[in-house]
Amino acid sequence: MLRKLLVTALVAGFAAAPAQAARTLLMPGVTYERQVQFTSQGPVAIHVLLAPKPGGLYSLKPVLSNGAIVGLERVTAMQRAVTGATTAGVNGDLFREDGLPSGVLLQSGALARSPSPDRSSIGIGADGSLQVERVKVFATWRGSGQRRALLLNLPPGPNGVSLFTSAWGPTTPAGSGATEAVLPLYPPATPNIDLTGTVGEIRQGGGTPIPPGGAVVVARGTGATRLTA
């Protein structure tokens, strides 16, 4: 019985080991490698880039498909859109069918997509240090009344309120039943500080253009009533 258990463990360990191909040199100091991880659900391909820590000639930046949260685009097309530098890239997160990332996205200090409270988030500091933590975001908005919950770049619920920045895309989500407050000027969505904007226009329905350097607050149900109070 002991021998049978040992053999089973060795076989299981062998099946889980990744199959590695030779590394390909992409540019000085940067290599690419394709690995295959054998799992209980079948083989999974893993694309691995090895590069120096950010700094000097090298930088590490998140890039959105089509320059927006929604929408899909091949990684090669996203690389070609980055001008003035030699680039190499891999998928940085899971995403929905419409392209919405499942996790946090922070660009130049501005929050474009809130983290998921159900999974860990990964961050890389300016010094190249790696951090993996469970992160939560609690955002609020306030007009003339009390603070209330606010979503970021995510369609609001039946009675919710959301803030859409230009990171979302050119317009707010299409659909009826929404009240939208256009903020012609709005600072980047930097975490941990209060941000202020002045409403320039109130519109009904969806598909409102998001002004460059501005934002749109979208509300439904009781949230819309409070927004226009």
Side-chain angles (χ1 to χ4, degrees):
M1 177 62 70
L2 178 60
R3 181 173 180 175
K4 182 177 180 181
L5 289 175
L6 286 174
V7 171
T8 302
L10 288 173
V11 171
F14 176 79
Q20 299 182 356
R23 292 178 182 174
T24 302
L25 182 65
L26 301 181
M27 65 183 82
V30 180
T31 61
Y32 166 76
E33 177 183 350
R34 184 179 185 273
Q35 298 181 359
V36 177
Q37 182 78 51
F38 296 97
T39 72
S40 59
Q41 303 299 319
V44 176
I46 303 173
H47 301 276
V48 180
L49 285 176
L50 295 178
K53 284 186 176 182
L57 297 176
Y58 300 92
S59 62
L60 180 63
K61 297 181 179 180
V63 177
L64 287 168
S65 62
N66 305 290
I69 288 179
V70 290
L72 298 172
E73 191 176 22
R74 290 187 176 275
V75 174
T76 50
M78 296 165 65
Q79 290 177 237
R80 286 194 292 267
V82 179
T83 59
T86 302
T87 62
V90 294
N91 281 327
D93 196 2
L94 301 175
F95 50 86
R96 299 190 326 194
E97 293 181 354
D98 59 359
L100 184 71
S102 64
V104 65
L105 177 62
L106 196 69
Q107 290 183 304
S108 301
L111 190 63
R113 176 79 168 95
S114 297
S116 170
D118 300 324
R119 52 177 287 199
S120 297
S121 298
I122 185 171
I124 299 177
D127 61 350
S129 59
L130 178 68
Q131 297 184 18
V132 180
E133 300 284 350
R134 286 288 184 96
V135 182
K136 294 183 179 181
V137 168
F138 180 68
T140 61
W141 73 278
R142 182 177 64 183
S144 57
Q146 67 186 64
R147 291 180 179 268
R148 299 187 182 276
L150 179 72
L151 298 178
L152 174 66
N153 288 328
L154 194 67
N159 296 301
V161 181
S162 295
L163 175 72
F164 286 89
T165 66
S166 56
W168 168 264
T171 64
T172 59
S176 59
T179 297
E180 301 182 321
V182 180
L183 311 176
L185 295 176
Y186 193 75
T190 306
N192 301 322
I193 62 173
D194 287 336
L195 306 174
T196 303
T198 301
V199 176
E201 180 185 5
I202 295 291
R203 300 183 59 163
Q204 300 295 326
T208 295
I210 301 174
V216 178
V217 179
V218 179
R220 294 183 178 276
T222 56
T225 302
R226 296 188 181 103
L227 181 64
T228 56

